[in-house]
Amino acid sequence: MLSALEEGVKGGKWFRLIDKVYASGTLAASWRQVNARAGAGGVDRQTVEQFETQAEKHLQSLHEALRTDTYVPQAVRRCWIEKVGSVEKRPLGIPTVRDRVVQGALRLVLEPIFEREFHARSYGFRPGRGCKDALREVERLLKEGHTFVVDADIKSYFDTIPHPELMAEVRRRVADGRVLKLLEAYLSQGVMEGLAQWTPEAGTPQGAVISPLLANLYLHPVDQALAEAGWEVVRYADDLVILCRSEEEAQRALELLEKLITERKLRLHPEKTRIVDASQRGGFDFLGYHFEQGKRWPRKKSLRKFKEAVRRRTRRTSGKSLATVITELNPVLRGWFQYFKHSHWTTFGPLDAWIRMRLRSILRKRSGRRGRGRGADHQRWPNSFFRERDLCSLVEAHRLASRPP
C-alpha cells in the first residue's frame, strides 16, 4: 500500500482495501489507540477496561466478522455536553468500543489515501498537525498585513454533512464496495438517547473515530477552491478564517466562501460569521485565543473554562491539605500554560493573583475567618509563602519561556 501511495494506483482508485481493514495488525493498532484514549462505553455499556480483559478474543471476533461480512455496527449513544459560556449544549455520539476499534482500523487505511491530497492550510485532526501550527500561521499572516479577517463558522457542520455528497467524495478514490458499504453503515447508524432511537439522515457523529477524516474530506473542495482563488485560509475542522489585506478583499472572499458552502449543502452561521479588522479594537477568536491589535490572549470562554477548573480544585470546604490542593492544581496550571504561553504578558499576573486569592480563602476559612482572602491575608500568607510550597506561577513560567535559549 505504501508503494502504491508513492507510485499511484490504476485510475487513481483503490479497488481492494477491506483486507487491510480487517488485517490483525490494523485492528491491533487501532485497539491500542482506542485504549490510550479510554472514554465511556456505548449502548452496550462495555467499557474500554472490560474490552481489554479479553482484547485478543474481541479482536479475533472482529477480524472474522469483517472478513465474512457479518459485522454490523451498533447504535451510537447520544449524550450532551455543555458549551463553555453558552446555554447551548453540544451533541456527542459515543460508539461502542468494538465499533471504535473498527472505525479506527478504517481510518488507518483510508487516511493515507486522502491525506496526500488535503490542503496545507487544513490543520484539524491530521497527523503531525495541530492547533499550534494553525495559530502560528494566523500570527504570521497578521504580521504580514493580512488584518482584515473573514471569521467564519459553519452552522452545525458535523450534524449536517449530506450523506450522498460525502460518499461521492469517498468514491473518487475508493472503489472497494465492502469498504463503501461499511462507511455507509456508520453514516446510517442508529442514535440512541435514553429509550428513544432514530436513524440520522445527515451528518457524522461528533465522537466517532472516523468522523474527523470524513469532515476534512467533505471540506477539501472548499479548501482547494479558496486556495486557487488566491485567498489565505487557515482551517481547523469547521472553524476557519480567511486573512486579507483590505475590507474589499475580505468581502469578496466571504462571497466566494458563502457560494462554496451553499454548493456543499451547508450553511454559514449568520451571527457568528463576520468580517473584522484585527488591527482595531474588537478582534476575533480562533482556537481558544483572541487576536486584537497585534496581540493575542485567551478568549473569554477559555478563561471561564480555566477558572472553573481551578475553582473545582480550590473549594473552601475542601478537607484536603494545602499541599494536596497545590499538588492537584499544578498540572492544571502547567497544562493550560503550555497552550496559552504565547498570550500577551499582561495575561498572567492577574491570574496568578486570583489563584493565590482562592488559596488564601481556604486558609482564611480554616483560621475561623469568613469571606475571601484579602487585606491582611496578603501579609499573613504572602506570595513567597506559596512559592515556597511549589505553587506553579504563570508569570514565572512565562518569564522562563520567553528567555532566549
Side-chain angles (χ1 to χ4, degrees):
M1 186 173 179
L2 288 172
S3 174
L5 283 168
E6 293 298 326
E7 299 170 10
V9 290
K10 186 176 180 180
K13 288 190 176 185
W14 293 77
F15 289 86
R16 182 69 176 169
L17 289 173
I18 191 66
D19 58 319
K20 298 168 182 62
V21 175
Y22 65 65
S24 298
T26 311
L27 290 169
S30 175
W31 158 240
R32 286 193 293 272
Q33 294 177 351
V34 170
N35 193 22
R37 294 191 187 100
V43 293
D44 62 355
R45 299 296 174 180
Q46 184 185 47
T47 65
V48 171
E49 292 77 14
Q50 290 169 338
F51 189 100
E52 186 177 20
T53 60
Q54 299 187 65
E56 189 173 339
K57 176 184 174 183
H58 291 314
L59 293 178
Q60 182 59 33
S61 174
L62 288 173
H63 168 81
E64 285 301 315
L66 288 165
R67 187 182 67 80
T68 58
D69 275 342
T70 57
Y71 167 80
V72 179
Q74 293 177 272
V76 171
R77 182 165 68 88
R78 167 68 61 88
C79 67
W80 296 83
I81 56 175
E82 293 184 358
K83 289 185 177 181
V84 178
S86 172
V87 295
E88 296 179 16
K89 291 188 176 182
R90 186 190 306 278
L92 187 66
I94 304 176
T96 62
V97 177
R98 66 190 293 275
D99 287 346
R100 298 207 291 265
V101 171
V102 177
Q103 285 188 27
L106 194 57
R107 181 186 61 80
L108 286 171
V109 172
L110 293 179
E111 189 173 66
I113 296 171
F114 294 108
E115 179 64 27
R116 296 168 61 80
E117 301 180 3
F118 287 163
H119 196 270
R121 297 283 179 81
S122 166
Y123 294 93
F125 309 110
R126 294 182 59 189
R129 292 166 171 264
C131 291
K132 291 185 179 181
D133 301 302
L135 290 165
R136 275 192 287 270
E137 186 62 16
V138 169
E139 186 84 24
R140 182 186 71 80
L141 290 166
L142 288 171
K143 286 179 178 177
E144 289 183 357
H146 297 81
T147 58
F148 287 88
V149 180
V150 178
D151 181 13
D153 182 277
I154 303 173
K155 187 173 176 61
S156 303
Y157 175 56
F158 281 83
D159 295 330
T160 57
I161 300 173
H163 292 168
E165 288 79 1
L166 173 58
M167 289 305 301
E169 289 298 327
V170 177
R171 288 189 179 93
R172 284 192 308 103
R173 291 287 177 261
V174 176
D176 185 326
R178 294 169 72 185
V179 166
L180 295 171
K181 181 182 175 183
L182 188 57
L183 274 175
E184 287 171 338
Y186 283 127
L187 293 176
S188 60
Q189 264 180 296
V191 177
M192 183 172 286
E193 184 174 355
L195 297 177
Q197 182 170 339
W198 70 94
T199 301
E201 296 180 359
T204 178
Q206 294 189 59
V209 178
I210 198 69
S211 290
L213 173 62
L214 297 178
N216 275 332
L217 175 61
Y218 195 62
L219 283 182
H220 174 59
V222 176
D223 294 337
Q224 279 185 310
L226 289 171
E228 288 169 5
W231 301 119
E232 301 285 3
V233 186
V234 180
R235 182 173 69 80
Y236 193 97
D238 58 337
D239 196 0
L240 69 92
V241 287
I242 307 174
L243 296 98
C244 307
R245 292 187 179 275
S246 70
E247 187 172 2
E248 293 74 22
E249 282 188 2
Q251 188 59 54
R252 293 203 307 275
L254 176 56
E255 288 170 2
L256 176 58
L257 177 63
E258 286 177 329
K259 176 177 177 291
L260 294 169
I261 292 296
T262 301
E263 288 174 352
R264 301 262 88 192
K265 296 186 178 179
L266 302 168
R267 276 187 67 208
L268 291 179
H269 198 297
E271 297 172 3
K272 296 180 181 179
T273 299
R274 62 205 179 108
I275 293 174
V276 299
D277 181 356
S279 67
Q280 304 300 314
R281 290 178 63 89
F284 67 99
D285 296 335
F286 187 62
L287 298 182
Y289 274 93
H290 180 77
F291 292 84
E292 182 178 325
Q293 295 182 313
K295 303 171 186 174
R296 63 163 148 155
W297 55 83
R299 63 184 296 193
K300 290 179 181 179
K301 286 184 179 180
S302 300
L303 283 175
R304 280 197 289 268
K305 186 176 180 180
F306 171 65
K307 286 190 171 185
E308 183 54 37
V310 172
R311 285 190 185 98
R312 286 197 300 270
R313 291 163 176 80
T314 57
R315 292 190 173 96
R316 277 175 266 183
T317 54
S318 169
K320 297 176 181 178
S321 68
L322 182 66
T324 300
V325 171
I326 289 175
T327 297
E328 293 178 356
L329 188 58
N330 276 343
V332 175
L333 305 183
R334 293 191 182 106
W336 185 86
F337 177 77
Q338 278 303 307
Y339 188 77
F340 289 103
K341 63 184 176 183
H342 299 293
S343 299
H344 193 259
W345 65 270
T346 55
T347 300
F348 305 107
L351 287 175
D352 268 352
W354 179 79
I355 292 164
R356 288 192 297 265
M357 180 277 292
R358 297 283 305 176
L359 296 176
R360 288 188 182 106
S361 297
I362 295 174
L363 296 171
R364 181 182 176 85
K365 181 175 177 61
R366 291 177 183 176
S367 9
R369 297 176 177 85
R370 301 173 69 180
R372 300 190 309 171
R374 61 186 186 276
D377 294 337
H378 289 265
Q379 286 73 49
R380 192 175 291 111
W381 301 293
N383 294 354
S384 58
F385 173 86
F386 299 104
R387 186 164 54 248
E388 289 164 4
R389 282 152 182 80
D390 294 324
L391 174 67
C392 174
S393 165
L394 300 174
V395 168
E396 180 63 14
H398 183 257
R399 186 186 68 80
L400 291 173
S402 303
R403 190 170 60 186

